[in-house]
Amino acid sequence: MAGLDQIAGIHFLHPSIGFLALALVMAFLSNERYMTWRWLLLAPPVLAIFSVMSLTFGPDGPRELASLHYLGQTLNLGRVDALALVFANVFAIQSLIGFIYALHVPDRGQHMAACLYIAGGFGCVFAGDYITLFIFWELMSIGSVFLIWLRRTQAATAAGFRYFLFHIFGGLFLLAGLLLRHADLGTFAFTAVSPDAARYYDYIILIGFLVNAACVPLHAWLPDAYPEATVTGAVFMSAFTTKTAVYVLARGYAGFEVLAIGGLVMCLYGVFYATIENNARRILSYHIVSQVGYMVCGIGIGTAMTLDGACAHAYAHILYKGLLFMGAGCLLYSAGTAKLTELGGLASRLPLVMICYMVGAVSISGMPLFNGFVSKTMTITGAAEAHRTWLALGMELAAVGTFLSVGIKLPYFAFWSKPTSTVALKPIPWNMYAGMIISSLLCLGIGIFPQTLYGLLPFPTDYTPYTAWHVLQACLILGFTGLGFYVMRAIIPPHASRNLDFDILYRLIGRGFVKLVSVPAAAIDNIWTDVYEKVGLKGLLASGIVTSIFDVKVIDGVLDGSAKGVREVGGATVARSQTGRLQDYLAAAVSIGLAIFAAVWFLG
C-alpha cells in the first residue's frame, strides 16, 4: 500500500477496491469460460473480510485512513470508527455468502453489476464527506438496477426503470441538500445533525436518505423491483441498499422524532401488506420495509440502547433476510415460480431448502436462540426504557405479523399446504445450498452467542437478551400467533392477484403527466399543421426556386472553376489530398482548428 499512500493518502486496503477491480477484469472475460473464472468471484469478499477484520482489531477510536485531493476538495474515503465497522463487517460477510450462492451463474454482467453495487455500499460506509457519499450512493443505484434488468423479462425491464427513476429522485434530493449545505456552511463534511439545529437543507438530505430506506410512503420501489430481480441479484439487494440508508441515518440523524414515528409506521405497514401478498419474494420485500422500520424507529428514539439495537438488528437482518431470499430464490430457480398459489407439497422434495428457510423465518420472527431475538428485543427494550411505550407496543404488534406471514403463512403454503407436489423441479446447484447453510449457521451462532454481535456495537450498553421475561414474552407471542393461524388457515389462503400499493399513486401521476403534456402538444401540432398548409408550403416552394437558381449560377460555377484550376494548375497536389480516408480529413480539421486556436491565442 506504499504506492497508494504516496499518491492518494490511502493507508488501508479499502474493501471497494477489490470489487471495482474484479468488475473491470470481468469486462474482458467471456461467459463461455465461466467455469474457469467463477472462482475469482470469491477474491474480493475474502479481501474485504481481511481488510475489515484488520481494522476491527486495530487501534481504537475514529481514524481517517484514506483521502484524495481532487478539484480543490479533499475526499475522505476512509473514515473508520465503530459505527462504520459494524456495517462493514456484515457487508463483507454477506458479500462472500452472496457470491458463493451465485457461483453457478455464467452471466458476467450480473457479477459485474453485483461488484459495482457492493463497492458502492462499502464506499458509503467509509465516506467522511458528502461528495464521496454521493458518488458511491449513485454507484449503488447503477449497479443494483442492472441486477433487475439482467433478468431480461418485460416485467423486470419496467420495474427496473421505475426503480431507477425513484433513485434518481432520491439522489437529486441528496445532491441539492449537500450543495445548499455547502453554500451555507462552506464544508462537505458528513457530520451528525442536531435535531434542534437542523436547517432546511438537512431535511432535504434526509428525504434523499429516506428514499433508500424505503420509508413509507417512499417505499413502493422496493416491493415493486426486488421480486423482479435475478435470483441471485435479489439476495444482494436485500442486504445493501436499505442498510446503507440505515447507516447514514444513524450517522447523521439520530434523535429525530420524525424517524421514530416513521419507523413505527414502516413496521406496521410492511407486515400488513406482507400478510396479504401471494408472491414469496414480494412478501419478503415488504418485510424489508417492516424490519428496517425497527432500525429507523430506534435511530429516531436516539438513546444508546436503541442505536445499538438498530445496528444489531441491521446486522442480523442482513443475514436472515439474505437467507430468506436465498430460500425463495431456490423455489423460483427450481420450480420456476415464487407464487404461493402455484407451490405446495415441496417439503419432501426440497427438504434442505425448507430447513434453511425455516431458520431464516424463525430468526426474523425473533425466536429465542436465533439472531433476530437478540437484536429485535434490544430495540424494543430500549424504547420501553426511554418511556416510549406506544412505540414499544407497536413494534411488538409488528412482530406478530412477521411470524404470521414469513414464519407460518409463506412456508405453509410453499412446503405443506398440498399433500404432494407435481411441479417439475430443476436441480439446485450445490453452491446455492452452501450459501444457505453458511447463513443458517451464522443466524443460529449469533443467537446462541450474542456477545459476538454485541462486541461490535458502537455504543456502550448493558443489555441481556436471555432473561426469563424476554424469553417468555417471545414464546407467548409466537405461540398465540401460530395458534391463530392454525384456527384460520382455511380462510386465509393466498390469492393469485397483486395488491397495488402507493405505486398506484405514482402510476396515476405518471399517466396524468403524460396527458398533461400530450394534450397541449397535440393541440399545438394541429395548429402548426394548419399554418404550414396555408403559409409554410408556399414559402417552401418559393425557397426551392431560389435555391435552384443559386445551385445553377453559383455552386456549379465554382465547381467548374475548381475543375479547371485542378486541370491547369495543381492537379497532382489536389488529387493527393483527396485520400478518401476519414482519419486524414479529421487530422486536417484538427490541424486547422489548432492553427485557428493558436492565432487567436497569440493575437488576442
Side-chain angles (χ1 to χ4, degrees), residues 46 81 114 183 232 259 267 289 372 378 445 464 597:
V46 171
D81 58 14
T232 56
L259 296 182
C267 290
V289 176
M378 177 181 282
T464 303
F597 175 79

Side-chain angles (χ1 to χ4, degrees), residues 253-496:
Y253 290 88
F256 276 66
E257 182 65 17
V258 65
L259 296 182
I261 298 172
L264 180 60
V265 172
M266 292 171 67
C267 290
L268 298 172
Y269 192 93
V271 294
F272 170 76
Y273 264 91
T275 304
I276 62 175
E277 282 294 336
N278 178 44
N279 186 297
R281 297 208 298 176
R282 193 165 166 86
I283 291 173
L284 298 178
S285 297
Y286 271 112
H287 271 291
I288 293 179
V289 176
S290 177
Q291 296 297 302
V292 171
Y294 285 88
M295 308 166 208
V296 173
C297 186
I299 292 168
I301 295 171
T303 66
M305 182 174 290
T306 58
L307 287 170
D308 271 351
C311 295
H313 202 49
Y315 195 109
H317 180 266
I318 287 173
L319 295 176
Y320 64 63
K321 185 60 72 174
L323 175 56
L324 291 168
F325 266 96
M326 284 189 277
C330 284
L331 293 176
L332 178 60
Y333 179 89
S334 183
T337 182
K339 295 180 179 178
L340 301 184
T341 50
E342 300 174 13
L343 297 172
L346 294 174
S348 59
R349 301 182 66 187
L350 297 173
L352 191 54
V353 174
M354 180 269 294
I355 293 171
C356 291
Y357 176 86
M358 287 309 303
V359 171
V362 296
S363 296
I364 192 176
S365 302
M367 181 174 287
L369 300 182
F370 294 90
N371 62 353
F373 173 77
V374 303
S375 62
K376 186 182 296 185
T377 55
M378 177 181 282
T379 305
I380 297 173
T381 302
E385 291 187 358
H387 306 292
R388 308 302 299 272
T389 306
W390 287 109
L391 296 179
L393 291 175
M395 287 187 277
E396 290 283 18
L397 180 61
V400 174
T402 300
F403 186 51
L404 177 64
S405 55
V406 177
I408 304 178
K409 175 185 174 181
L410 194 159
Y412 175 77
F413 288 105
F415 295 108
W416 291 293
S417 62
K418 300 175 184 177
T420 58
S421 171
T422 58
V423 177
L425 297 181
K426 183 179 178 180
I428 297 174
W430 66 268
N431 57 285
M432 297 177 77
Y433 284 118
M436 290 191 295
I437 291 172
I438 294 171
S439 289
S440 299
L441 293 175
L442 288 172
C443 289
L444 181 60
I446 292 174
I448 297 174
F449 304 103
Q451 288 304 321
T452 58
L453 173 57
Y454 293 169
L456 299 173
L457 299 179
F459 303 101
T461 54
D462 183 16
Y463 176 70
T464 303
Y466 287 105
T467 64
W469 169 242
H470 288 155
V471 173
L472 177 62
Q473 185 183 32
C475 291
L476 288 173
I477 290 175
L478 299 178
F480 279 106
T481 303
L483 178 62
F485 177 83
Y486 180 79
V487 172
M488 298 185 297
R489 69 189 185 281
I491 62 174
I492 56 171
H495 300 284

